[in-house]
Amino acid sequence: MTAPTATATDSAATDSGAERAPVRRRRPRTGTALVTAAVVVAVGAGGAAAIGFGGRDPGTATASTLPPATAQVTRQTLVDAQTVDGELGYGTTRTAAARRGGTLTWLAPTGGTVKRGQPVYAVDNSKVVLLYGGLPAYRTLRSGVEGADVKQFEQNLSALGYTGFTVDDEYTGSTAEAVRDWQEDLGRDDTGRVEPSDIVYADADVRVEGHEASTGDTVQPGKSVLTYTGTSRLVTVELDIDDQRLAKKDNKVGVTLPDGKQLDGLITEVETVIETGSGGTGQDEPETRIEVTVTVADPKALAAYDQASVKVAFTADERADVLTVPVAALLALAEGGYGVEVVDGGRTRIVAVSTGLFASGRVEVAGDGLTEGLTVGVPA
């Protein structure tokens, strides 16, 4: 905040001063303009003034020309809040890509749910199955291999009911025997080895959102096959980097559905993403965004909607029972900090103040002798 400086002097009168993480392709967004809704729950009377700054000598009482406008010091609850557009759906969309070349012979149906151990798609009639885990398959698992990826795979193999091995970070001959049983059940060659192209890892069950290829297509490694999401109904919000203060994990938010119904929500995930341009003039500069995932307390209330635009009300900060003045009433003092011009009858004096929360055009203030109901000057 920049303001003209009020110079401290011993004169009896002075005039008022002058006016004072993951990289993604940018998705088309509709209706994502931010809607400011900084809420103030007033306890006392309030006033409004034009934005501007000015000042006089702190502590000096004057009989000079009074300020062009005034407002009152109020005691109230000040809330820094903002309402933005969000999308109700199934969370972040991800892509499953072929890990080896061949003919695409089967795809899980759009809108269907794929659970652990079930096929997502098939290449050359070899099923690629879903397993749970955050570590992607990146190497061939065979006897003698050790590591976190081995343990993750063995945890899945055990959960699918296969036995005879120890779940740890060592791929042993016993693991290979269990894998052969698993491969036989899937109709694969029972090699006892697990190739990266055999698996799609996800955190949990997935919902197939769409197909990126058709059965019969010849696919090469890296070719997108289908897109998928989680299965839980979520609200996703994209914030500008300047609004990062709103995105605090585990904070409560309010969600308003298209029919006006309001639901309680909770921020469950906050992720910084870099979106790349979609091509064309001025579209290629990367943009950093904050992606916020919100869950609602009553998921059944979302049953009427598959995907929809919603409003999400964030509260960044709140101060209860504090003194406030319009931001425009602040004066920059020569000795540093801020003050306000208290108007008392036909005279004025400058009171130095400390500031707190700024919201809704007002600011939390505290200073010697500053009380609710005092009148302060506001530049025109």
Side-chain angles (χ1 to χ4, degrees):
M1 179 182 301
T2 304
T5 303
T7 305
T9 69
D10 294 325
S11 62
T14 59
D15 292 331
S16 297
E19 281 192 2
R20 325 195 248 270
V23 178
R24 301 180 184 166
R25 190 165 188 81
R26 187 173 303 150
R27 297 174 293 174
R29 296 193 298 273
T30 59
T32 55
L34 298 184
V35 180
T36 301
V39 180
V40 176
V41 183
V43 177
I51 298 298
F53 294 90
R56 301 194 181 195
D57 297 345
T60 301
T62 76
S64 62
T65 303
L66 294 176
T70 61
Q72 284 189 302
V73 178
T74 66
R75 182 173 294 280
Q76 61 193 73
T77 295
L78 197 61
V79 182
D80 177 14
Q82 190 163 293
T83 297
V84 303
D85 291 337
E87 291 294 326
L88 172 62
Y90 293 89
T92 302
T93 298
R94 306 188 185 279
T95 300
R99 302 293 296 273
R100 66 183 181 89
T103 300
L104 191 62
T105 53
W106 184 83
L107 288 163
T110 300
T113 298
V114 181
K115 301 179 179 294
R116 173 158 50 191
Q118 294 181 339
V120 181
Y121 63 92
V123 175
D124 293 342
N125 222 29
S126 179
K127 298 174 183 176
V128 179
V129 301
L130 176 72
L131 296 180
Y132 295 167
L135 184 63
Y138 65 92
R139 61 176 176 170
T140 299
L141 302 183
R142 55 165 64 91
S143 295
V145 172
E146 299 181 7
D149 54 339
V150 173
K151 184 174 183 179
Q152 178 176 273
F153 173 77
E154 289 185 341
Q155 287 171 332
N156 279 275
L157 198 59
S158 177
L160 290 172
Y162 295 93
T163 60
F165 62 96
T166 301
V167 176
D168 54 20
D169 60 0
E170 297 182 15
Y171 196 107
T172 64
S174 297
T175 306
E177 284 300 319
V179 167
R180 289 188 180 94
D181 292 339
W182 174 61
Q183 291 171 328
E184 185 176 348
D185 291 341
L186 290 172
R188 293 178 180 165
D189 294 338
D190 55 348
T191 63
R193 301 188 305 273
V194 182
E195 302 293 341
S197 57
D198 295 337
I199 302 166
V200 172
Y201 276 115
D203 292 335
D205 296 347
V206 301
R207 169 185 170 273
V208 179
E209 183 172 83
H211 294 164
E212 299 286 291
S214 301
T215 55
D217 287 354
T218 299
V219 296
Q220 299 297 327
K223 165 67 177 178
S224 297
V225 174
L226 56 77
T227 56
Y228 63 91
T229 66
T231 58
S232 299
R233 308 298 300 283
L234 304 169
V235 174
T236 304
V237 180
E238 286 194 353
L239 298 174
D240 290 332
I241 194 70
D242 292 341
D243 295 311
Q244 190 168 9
R245 75 187 193 286
L246 302 173
K248 298 177 181 177
K249 188 175 180 181
D250 297 329
N251 270 17
K252 295 180 180 180
V253 299
V255 177
T256 303
L257 299 179
D259 62 1
K261 185 174 183 179
Q262 296 184 341
L263 304 175
D264 293 330
L266 184 71
I267 298 176
T268 55
E269 186 176 351
V270 178
E271 185 178 9
T272 301
V273 299
I274 299 175
E275 297 179 337
T276 58
S278 57
T281 304
Q283 299 294 317
D284 297 327
E285 288 296 322
E287 182 180 3
T288 301
R289 309 276 296 175
I290 306 298
E291 187 172 279
V292 182
T293 301
V294 174
T295 59
V296 298
D298 182 15
K300 293 181 180 178
L302 306 177
Y305 302 95
D306 183 30
Q307 294 182 319
S309 294
V310 297
K311 298 291 185 182
V312 182
F314 293 85
T315 299
D317 206 350
E318 180 176 330
R319 296 284 192 275
D321 195 31
V322 295
L323 297 177
T324 77
V325 297
V327 174
L330 291 179
L331 311 173
L333 303 180
E335 57 269 53
Y338 294 102
V340 293
E341 183 179 20
V342 176
V343 180
D344 186 7
R347 301 178 66 82
T348 65
R349 57 190 172 87
I350 305 300
V351 175
V353 298
S354 58
T355 60
L357 179 64
F358 287 74
S360 191
R362 299 185 73 84
V363 56
E364 174 189 356
V365 292
D368 290 341
L370 200 65
T371 60
E372 179 183 3
L374 284 180
T375 299
V376 294
V378 180

